[in-house]
Amino acid sequence: MSRPLETVRVTRYVTPLREGGSLPGVVEGSDLGTYVCKFRGAGQGVRVLVAEVVVGALARRVGLRTPRLVALDLTREIARYEADEEVQDLLTASVGLNLGIDFLPGAFGYDGDPPGDPLDPAVVLWLDAFTANVDRSWRNPNLLVWHDDLWVIDHGAALYFHHAWAGGVTEPARFAAQRWDAADHVLGAWADRLGEAEARIAPLLDEQALVDALAEVPDAWLEPVPGAETPAALREAYVAFLTARLRTRQWLPGTDA
């Protein structure tokens, strides 16, 4: 059975990564590891962190490489010694559990020539379609090459349906059938191999895999919404949405059914 992410205490804030609007930063942890930290106090909120954990778990489940994730415990003392006022405000707003992504030293951005398993690009494309990830274009590939392998990162733009839950959990049916457009995807050229990718994925991804992925999400990031006021109820809602989508193929590029 899966468990919530391991918790690591932040011991030092190193430097901001001024990419996009969320201002992630590099931090050091009590386990002597170095992490890219995505902050709970950023404008997109904790649901982005939920998407990161869930999609990251599913990526590992279907055989893709993605950095190890931890929950980073950030204390107010870390913010106190930060000179940059913008960063200090973000750190202060993010006291508590944040998301840590294992830093891959020497990794470089994807340049159009996928290394490693030749089917991996199609598996990435399938997973992005399943989770409705809209943020893997040439403008922002969110792919790294490390030790001659392809690594997938930054899944926060997936699972868009949870952003509509402010008034309560919605119905899964719409998400289950919502088509996904691969036209702008950095790996769209591999769409003709989606059938092979699905043949690999089918034995690996089922409802229990979805339950296990949600089990990795810390309770602190599962904020109550009407109709799902507890972390357990939120997990059930996510599983219901993803299970409904898994049971249909209307969303898959090139599929008519």
Side-chain angles (χ1 to χ4, degrees), residues 13 18 23 74 76-95:
Y13 179 85
R18 297 186 181 277
L23 200 66
L74 178 68
R76 196 170 299 276
E77 285 69 26
I78 298 294
R80 187 175 299 163
Y81 298 105
E82 175 54 46
D84 185 308
E85 186 174 341
E86 181 184 11
V87 173
Q88 187 180 76
D89 289 346
L90 177 60
L91 295 177
T92 300
S94 301
V95 169

Side-chain angles (χ1 to χ4, degrees), residues 158-178:
L159 310 187
Y160 70 83
F161 58 81
H162 57 189
H163 295 293
W165 285 358
V169 175
T170 53
E171 287 296 322
R174 181 176 179 182
F175 176 67
Q178 185 70 48

